[in-house]
Amino acid sequence: MTDLKRSLGTVQLLAFGVAGVVGASWIYTNSTFFDAYGAGGVILGLCLGVALAACVALAYARLAQAFPRAGGEVVFSFAALGRGASFLTGWMLLGAYVSSLAFYVTAFGYLLGRFVPGLNTIPLYTINDETVYLPGLAIGIGLTFAFFALNWYGISVGAQVQILMFGLIIAGGLALIVTGFTAGSPDNFFPAFAPEATPVADTLRFVVPGMTFLSGFGLVAVLAEDAKISPRRIGRTVVWTVIIAGSFYVLVLLATAWVHPWEEVAGMELGTVDAFRAAGFPALGGVAYAIAVLGLLTSFLGLFVASSRILVAMGRADLLPRRLAAVDERSGTPRTALIFTLVITLGLGWLGPGAVTWFLDTGGIYLGVVWIMVVIVNLRLPASRAPRSALATGFSLLGAIGALGVIALALWPGTGSSLVWPHEYIILLVWIVLGVVLFALSRRTDPRDSLATLLGHDGSETQSPVERR
């Protein structure tokens, strides 16, 4: 079976990773977070979330080094835990990524519509109190086809676009950070909590959304087969993705609370955008908005590419139809998987941000399951397959415990992070049932043959690490 074309260098892979993590809504909804948790709760909670994500990233780094193949987590779990675990991991990961993709279809038009009122015309329908307008939907559909076209002839073109947008995000963020700390004052940040607040509780409560800010760093491992760098460097890139993206989040949000009193920012509508405007920097308010737009675009592009690679891996392992694993020999791209990704993105995207928010909330559970599976795989994979650090293993266990906490808080009613009843519980149940049905209908093949295809060799070394013990 044809392998994907190796086109991505370190900078390109890092751009997909970091820019894929840095999304849009955080930069204009942080006023809501400040109001709920205080600036101190947001900053400190986010730092803890970054630390937990970095712990999980250590497990990713080791596994990406051992298995630098398309699909990342799908390959890891098949090699160490077998067919059922691999399907569970891939299906959960696909659910999380597809949920985000569907949201982006109308979210881009929605975001532009806040500043270009003309886009909020010609209403089509309303779902979950959110109206979908024809211009916004048309823009989202056009953007989806554009990203599809960028990757049809190879990932290198899409990678160059991603690097450009990534560079603009970093440059804009640096402008906000430097201005915020030089023109602002610590008096705007301290005291970091409201007088009636409980600092420890507010900090811990923000760890859950803080961890979701970092979701998506695993796409570096998913794109490993597209990389032309060494497996060890791929593993390091996973960790650097979390560190860079997490630092970017923390510094921009801290600069927001530094440049203008955070208590006032908490009452604003557009968070960082309004904070810099109120502080006398309207141009930087525009820069913050541009970061939101670019963050949405880079996340959209990164997850679109990553979703197709997950489908490739699941097709190779016969967890989904084998045709999804087909790779065009001339371009080295998985065109069937790209078409499927396009169809499912548009198929759900028309529902609009109101309905797709339900999918996004359940996506946190999917990602939590994936993180836990990765840590389990890391524990099962013997040191003979890849070097193991006791310290890194211990930290990855902390990350898994954090992920388990995310799932528990989401499923247990009344926690403040609970799923919305009944819509989100129904969506979760439907996705699980659909996965069970597809797994039951999937073609049963010799696991050694499936593993050989996943790992890209003739089967002479396809006995799983667990079986070799």
Side-chain angles (χ1 to χ4, degrees):
M1 184 167 288
T2 305
D3 289 348
L4 300 173
K5 184 178 180 180
R6 298 188 179 276
S7 307
L8 303 179
T10 301
V11 175
Q12 293 166 313
L13 192 61
L14 193 64
F16 267 110
V18 177
V21 169
V22 177
S25 63
W26 66 278
I27 206 163
Y28 59 83
T29 59
N30 53 63
S31 51
T32 302
F33 295 137
F34 283 1
D35 182 56
Y37 308 103
V42 171
I43 302 301
L44 295 176
L46 183 55
C47 287
L48 288 176
V50 172
L52 289 173
C55 291
V56 177
L58 292 172
Y60 270 90
R62 178 172 180 254
L63 296 173
Q65 180 178 340
F67 305 107
R69 296 287 291 174
E73 297 94 330
V74 178
V75 183
F76 306 160
S77 52
F78 198 109
L81 300 175
R83 176 184 175 84
S86 182
F87 184 89
L88 172 64
T89 303
W91 190 245
M92 293 292 101
L93 191 61
L94 191 62
Y97 283 6
V98 166
S99 297
S100 295
L101 289 174
F103 176 77
Y104 293 148
V105 173
T106 49
F108 187 64
Y110 175 81
L111 181 58
L112 291 181
R114 298 179 73 97
F115 293 86
V116 185
L119 294 177
N120 295 326
T121 58
I122 317 178
L124 297 177
Y125 44 84
T126 298
I127 300 179
N128 193 25
D129 298 326
E130 292 285 357
T131 300
V132 176
Y133 297 95
L134 178 59
L137 180 60
I139 290 173
I141 292 174
L143 187 64
T144 306
F145 274 104
F147 286 160
F148 171 78
L150 280 176
N151 291 282
W152 185 253
Y153 293 102
I155 196 174
S156 58
V157 177
Q160 295 307 313
V161 173
Q162 189 80 337
I163 286 179
L164 174 61
M165 294 190 292
F166 171 64
L168 292 174
I169 288 174
I170 296 299
L174 288 175
L176 295 175
I177 293 166
V178 171
T179 303
F181 286 116
T182 55
S185 168
D187 293 335
N188 293 329
F189 179 72
F190 295 105
F193 293 89
E196 69 281 3
T198 51
V200 174
D202 286 344
T203 297
L204 293 177
R205 276 196 289 266
F206 193 74
V207 171
V208 174
M211 289 180 67
T212 60
F213 279 10
L214 276 299
S215 63
F217 67 82
L219 68 82
V220 173
V222 172
L223 299 178
E225 192 175 322
D226 292 280
K228 57 183 179 182
I229 58 179
S230 69
R232 185 173 184 179
R233 187 170 294 180
I234 294 172
R236 290 176 176 175
T237 303
V238 178
V239 179
W240 276 112
T241 292
V242 175
I243 294 172
I244 294 174
S247 299
F248 185 84
Y249 278 133
V250 170
L251 290 174
V252 172
L253 290 175
L254 186 56
T256 301
W258 210 267
V259 78
H260 194 75
W262 72 264
E263 295 94 334
E264 295 183 21
V265 178
M268 295 175 176
E269 183 182 3
L270 297 177
T272 301
V273 177
D274 286 342
F276 276 86
R277 286 175 174 173
F281 303 101
L284 287 178
V287 169
Y289 172 70
I291 289 175
V293 173
L294 289 168
L296 190 151
L297 292 175
T298 54
S299 296
F300 198 166
L301 178 57
L303 292 181
F304 192 91
V305 175
S307 295
S308 67
R309 272 52 179 180
I310 296 168
L311 290 169
V312 167
M314 296 185 76
R316 285 173 173 174
D318 290 310
L319 300 173
L320 290 176
R322 178 62 72 93
R323 289 189 62 184
L324 291 171
V327 176
D328 180 71
E329 293 187 3
R330 293 184 61 184
S331 65
T333 57
R335 291 184 169 177
T336 303
L338 285 170
I339 292 172
F340 188 86
T341 303
L342 173 71
V343 170
I344 196 170
T345 299
L346 294 177
L348 292 175
W350 68 271
L351 294 171
V356 180
T357 297
W358 297 330
F359 294 91
L360 288 178
D361 289 345
T362 57
I365 293 179
Y366 304 150
L367 285 172
V369 172
V370 172
W371 286 11
I372 291 171
M373 294 297 294
V374 168
V375 172
I376 293 174
V377 169
N378 188 48
L379 292 174
R380 294 290 300 275
L381 189 70
S384 59
R385 180 76 194 198
R388 171 185 290 164
S389 163
L391 184 61
T393 300
F395 279 132
S396 68
L397 279 172
L398 289 177
I401 293 171
L404 185 61
V406 170
I407 296 173
L409 289 171
L411 292 178
W412 194 265
T415 64
S417 300
S418 307
L419 297 180
V420 175
W421 177 267
H423 305 91
E424 294 178 359
Y425 287 93
I426 292 174
I427 289 171
L428 178 63
L429 180 62
V430 168
W431 188 253
I432 292 173
V433 171
L434 180 59
V436 170
V437 171
L438 289 176
F439 181 70
L441 295 177
S442 62
R443 187 174 65 171
R444 292 295 190 272
T445 55
D446 189 326
R448 292 173 296 181
D449 293 337
S450 297
L451 186 58
T453 305
L454 277 174
L455 299 182
H457 50 66
D458 60 9
S460 59
E461 300 178 1
T462 56
Q463 190 180 29
S464 76
V466 174
E467 291 172 328
R468 291 196 201 109
R469 285 182 167 181

